[in-house]
Amino acid sequence: MSEQTLLAVQGLTAFYGTSQALFGLDVTIKAGQIMALIGRNGAGKSTTLRTIMGILPARDGTLKLRGQSIKGLAPYRISRIGLGYVPEDRQIFPAHTILENLELGIKPGRPDLPEWTLQRIYEMFPILYERRHGPAGYLSGGEQQMLSIARTLMGNPEVLLLDEPSEGLAPLIVNHIAEVIMSFREAGLTVLLSEQNMHFCLRVATDVTVISKGQAVYTGTVDEFRVNEDVKTRYLTV
Ligand code: ATP
C-alpha cells in the first residue's frame, strides 16, 4: 500500500455568512485509505466535504491534492483534477433516465487507474442496468444513492468524497453500499467518507478522523479507534 499523501487539508476555516463552521481543521488522506470523518450532528462533516470541493469557500488554511493547491478553484475544476463528490442529497436528475444520469457524469479516465465504464458500473449495481431506461425519479432512496455514487465514478475520480452514504437507507441497501465502498480499495480509489453511523464506519473504513466543533480532534487507524473508548465517549456519545 502506497504511503503517498493524496489529499492534505491544513488549518481549514469556513463560514456560512458570518457564522464560522470550520475552525482550523486538519486531515490528511493517503493513497488507498478509506478515511471516515465521524462526529455528532452539526460537527462540520458535510461542511468539510463541501469546502474541499470548493462549493463553500475555504477562508484560511491549505487544501492540496497531490501537493497541488486546489484552494479557490471552482468545483468543476476540482472535480476535473480528480476529486469526485457524492452529496448527501444525491442530486440525481429525476426526469432523466438512469443511463442519461450516468452519461452526465462521464469524464476522461486517468492513466494510473482502470477506467470506469457502463459495464463495470452495471456489474457493481445490477439494478441500475435493469432500470437503465427508466426515469431516475422512480428509484428508491437506496437506488438513488447507488446512482449518485455510480454517476460520480463515471467521472473517474482519484479520491471519492462520500457524504453520509448510509443515511436513511434500509439495512440491506446499507450492506450493499458498504461492500461497494470496501471494493473501492481494490479498484485503486481513495475515499473520504462522512458518517454518523459508527458501525458502518467500523466496517468500511481503514482510518478514522473525529470532528468536533469544526476541528479534527482525533485521527487513528480504525483498529486504534475501535478500542479507544475515551474518544468515543468524549466526542461521539450523545
Ligand atoms: P449533520 O450530520 O447534521 O449533517 P455535520 O457534521 O455534517 O452534521 P454540518 O452540516 O457541516 O455538520 O454543519 C456544521 C455547522 O455549520 C453547524 O453548526 C450547522 O448548523 C452549520 N451549517 C451547516 N449548513 C449551513 C448553512 N447552509 N447555513 C448556515 N449554517 C450552516
Side-chain angles (χ1 to χ4, degrees):
M1 186 59 56
S2 164
E3 282 296 294
Q4 184 200 3
T5 294
L6 269 192
L7 186 63
V9 175
Q10 276 187 328
L12 190 65
T13 67
F15 292 72
Y16 292 100
T18 55
S19 167
Q20 188 164 2
L22 298 183
F23 293 82
L25 181 125
D26 301 322
V27 59
T28 301
I29 295 132
K30 296 195 163 77
Q33 279 183 328
I34 298 182
M35 173 67 81
L37 285 180
I38 315 188
R40 291 192 181 109
N41 263 336
K45 303 179 295 295
S46 301
T47 303
T48 301
L49 299 193
R50 276 187 221 128
T51 310
I52 292 172
M53 273 317 286
I55 295 162
L56 190 67
R59 182 88 57 99
D60 308 300
T62 57
L63 277 175
K64 288 183 180 169
L65 181 65
R66 272 182 266 100
Q68 180 189 348
S69 178
I70 55 169
K71 191 177 169 190
L73 298 183
Y76 80 93
R77 290 192 57 200
I78 293 176
S79 110
R80 261 194 223 155
I81 293 172
L83 288 188
Y85 173 56
V86 181
E88 200 172 4
D89 61 3
R90 297 161 194 153
Q91 292 179 11
I92 59 146
F93 297 99
H96 289 261
T97 67
I98 285 152
L99 178 58
E100 286 164 347
N101 269 272
L102 290 172
E103 286 172 342
L104 283 167
I106 295 175
K107 291 190 191 71
R110 324 204 141 259
D112 46 343
L113 289 175
E115 190 159 356
W116 286 95
T117 59
L118 281 173
Q119 191 183 336
R120 269 182 90 193
I121 292 291
Y122 289 148
E123 278 164 17
M124 184 170 268
F125 301 110
I127 189 77
L128 299 183
Y129 175 72
E130 285 164 32
R131 312 277 295 272
R132 66 194 180 283
H133 297 305
Y138 286 7
L139 295 175
S140 70
E143 291 160 354
Q144 290 190 12
Q145 181 64 270
M146 291 178 202
L147 178 57
S148 188
I149 293 172
R151 186 183 54 194
T152 306
L153 291 175
M154 290 299 286
N156 289 297
E158 189 173 16
V159 182
L160 191 61
L161 310 184
L162 293 172
D163 199 355
E164 304 223 18
S166 80
E167 195 188 15
L169 303 184
L172 213 60
I173 308 265
V174 171
N175 209 21
H176 184 198
I177 304 261
E179 277 164 17
V180 162
I181 294 172
M182 287 187 282
S183 77
F184 287 159
R185 292 195 78 197
E186 284 125 64
L189 258 176
T190 301
V191 178
L192 177 59
L193 164 83
S194 133
E195 260 297 337
Q196 292 252 21
N197 179 341
M198 204 196 300
H199 296 293
F200 185 83
C201 287
L202 289 175
R203 185 162 167 213
V204 306
T206 60
D207 296 83
V208 171
T209 292
V210 177
I211 301 197
S212 175
K213 298 178 184 158
Q215 285 184 321
V217 290
Y218 171 87
T219 297
T221 66
V222 74
D223 291 331
E224 289 163 350
F225 173 75
R226 199 185 301 277
V227 295
N228 195 326
E229 296 307 324
D230 178 46
V231 164
K232 285 190 221 162
T233 312
R234 210 178 317 171
Y235 299 113
L236 300 169
T237 314
V238 184

